[in-house]
Amino acid sequence: MGYALINGLDQGILWAILALGVFISFRMLDFADLTCEGSFAMGGAISAVLISSGTDPILSCIVALIGGCGAGLITGILNTKFRIPPILSGILTLTALYSINYLIMNKRASIGLVNNSLFYSWIKLESAYSALITGLMVVVAVIGVMYWFFGTELGSAVRATGANEKMSRAQGINTDNTKLIGLMLSNGLIALSGALVAQHQGNATLVMGSGAIVIGLASVIIGETIIPSKNSFLLTLTSVLIGSIIYRIIITLVFQAGLSTEYIKLITAVLVVLALCLPLMKSKLPALAKRIDAIRAWLDAKLGKYPVYAKHIVKREARRAKRAERKAMREAAKKAKQAVEADMAPDSEVTAGDGDAKCEVEGEEDNAGIN
């Protein structure tokens, strides 16, 4: 169980960078970008090739990020300059990236990194914990940079483009450029995640990005469902991280239970459906509660004549009365607080009004004296 949690945390933190990239394109830009799977595999391929040739692992991650930005730039140009629909633009780039990744990997399907020094080797801890700590440091840095960037004028323009493109264009924002910037940043983060995941798992393959888009969406949706954060952008980014960790822990526990890896996409689809249906399920809870109360009343009428069930009814009603009493006390305290605040507000207004009147009188007296 402990190993499953540590492994889930490791994977969840590294894949959270992918989820943050997906969040930028799908949530902030409202752009259905399918380049994700190709840029993720490209990040892993670039990192694996560079590390195998003796390049520093951290430098390989930076190069992978730049490569992902290039992939996002291609998708953005296809959409903004050639007016190709977003989904088709992503599909075209994804198709081209498969061959590009094959060439990057020297026409090999996979590259192993078992005997190479990885990016977290400088932390002198056990391998699992060093990967966890280093991954957390990278994710915190990414979230901090995103929080700063999207608070700037340029970042706000990117967010405005996704919220309402026509209005942004009317305000003088070059929406084509903001789309390019958003897609470059999104795919750059996705490629960085691919590089980190490849180093963590010890190899990079051509198909390592298969299903990455669904995993990213699942992390975003799970995080938004569990932690609603409409008024805090930092909390929104944190919820994406938490959603990725929860998703990976669930997947790890399922594998620990002995389920075959062939079912991972089915499990992912089920998790996404449940996360999407959760708001609707919450809205149906009051009607469900009324139905349960009706069934309970029918059972009480039928079984209330039996002493054992009658005792159960008495205990249940006593618990219900205590809950109702506590609720009434909370509501009374809330109303009393509101009444106090309402009583204080007019006093402050009257005081302010008296002060204004006093100032006016003093001003008239001064004018009279001058005259």
Side-chain angles (χ1 to χ4, degrees):
M1 183 69 176
Y3 170 77
L5 290 177
I6 293 297
N7 188 42
L9 283 172
D10 289 345
Q11 295 285 339
I13 288 173
L14 298 181
W15 283 83
I17 303 175
L18 164 89
L20 290 169
V22 173
F23 172 79
I24 292 174
S25 58
F26 275 83
R27 279 289 187 264
M28 298 183 66
L29 282 179
D30 194 22
F31 191 99
D33 184 18
L34 299 182
T35 317
C36 172
E37 298 186 3
S39 56
F40 183 83
M42 184 176 67
I46 292 174
S47 180
V49 169
L50 291 177
I51 292 175
S52 299
S53 62
T55 306
D56 183 76
I58 298 177
L59 180 59
S60 73
C61 292
I62 296 174
V63 176
L65 187 147
I66 296 172
C69 291
L73 178 63
I74 293 173
T75 302
I77 290 175
L78 291 176
N79 175 251
T80 58
K81 306 304 180 184
F82 297 99
R83 303 305 174 188
I84 300 175
I87 294 179
L88 187 55
S89 300
I91 291 174
L92 291 173
T93 308
L94 170 62
T95 304
L97 283 176
Y98 186 87
S99 298
I100 293 173
N101 294 337
Y102 185 65
L103 295 175
I104 291 173
M105 298 174 68
N106 297 322
K107 299 181 179 181
R108 288 181 289 177
S110 65
I111 297 177
L113 298 172
V114 177
N115 298 322
N116 293 279
S117 176
L118 303 183
F119 74 102
Y120 50 80
S121 60
W122 57 274
I123 296 183
K124 305 301 181 182
L125 290 174
E126 186 181 345
S127 178
Y129 295 102
S130 62
L132 176 62
I133 294 172
T134 309
L136 187 60
M137 291 169 58
V138 174
V139 171
V140 170
V142 169
I143 290 177
V145 171
M146 288 181 62
Y147 182 73
W148 166 80
F149 173 74
F150 286 108
T152 62
E153 183 177 354
L154 179 59
S156 299
V158 174
R159 297 171 65 180
T161 300
N164 193 326
E165 184 176 352
K166 293 182 179 179
M167 182 62 69
S168 300
R169 195 180 296 113
Q171 295 297 322
I173 297 174
N174 190 329
T175 56
D176 288 349
N177 289 342
T178 54
K179 279 185 180 181
L180 290 175
I181 293 171
L183 290 174
M184 289 173 64
L185 180 58
S186 170
N187 285 277
L189 292 178
I190 292 169
L192 174 62
S193 177
L196 296 177
V197 170
Q199 293 184 35
H200 182 263
Q201 67 187 15
N203 71 311
T205 64
L206 279 175
V207 295
M208 64 180 295
S210 178
I213 185 66
V214 180
I215 294 172
L217 284 174
S219 302
V220 172
I221 293 170
I222 291 172
E224 290 178 343
T225 303
I226 295 177
I227 307 177
S229 49
K230 295 181 179 179
N231 299 323
S232 174
F233 184 64
L234 181 61
L235 186 59
T236 301
L237 298 178
T238 307
S239 69
V240 175
L241 169 61
I242 294 174
S244 177
I245 292 174
I246 292 173
Y247 170 79
R248 276 293 155 186
I249 288 177
I250 293 173
I251 295 298
T252 305
L253 291 176
V254 169
F255 288 161
Q256 287 284 320
L259 194 64
S260 177
T261 57
E262 284 80 8
Y263 296 100
I264 183 171
K265 291 188 177 181
L266 175 60
I267 296 170
T268 301
V270 172
L271 288 175
V272 173
V273 170
L274 289 177
L276 290 172
C277 293
L278 191 58
L280 180 62
M281 294 167 62
K282 287 182 179 179
S283 65
K284 297 294 183 180
L285 285 178
L288 180 61
K290 290 182 180 179
R291 185 169 298 181
I292 292 174
D293 288 339
I295 296 174
R296 185 177 294 166
W298 180 81
L299 288 174
D300 292 345
K302 294 293 182 180
L303 304 177
K305 58 184 179 180
Y306 298 103
V308 176
Y309 194 82
K311 290 181 181 179
H312 167 70
I313 293 176
V314 172
K315 292 180 179 179
R316 188 187 68 206
E317 294 301 325
R319 291 194 298 268
R320 181 177 294 180
K322 288 182 180 180
R323 288 195 297 268
E325 183 180 356
R326 289 195 294 267
K327 183 177 179 181
M329 291 176 63
R330 288 194 298 268
E331 291 179 353
K334 185 177 180 181
K335 289 181 180 179
K337 183 178 178 180
Q338 293 176 349
V340 171
E341 293 176 352
D343 291 338
M344 292 176 64
D347 293 341
S348 61
E349 291 176 0
V350 171
T351 303
D354 293 343
D356 294 340
K358 185 177 179 180
C359 291
E360 291 177 1
V361 172
E362 290 177 353
E364 292 175 358
E365 291 177 354
D366 293 339
N367 292 333
I370 292 173
N371 296 330

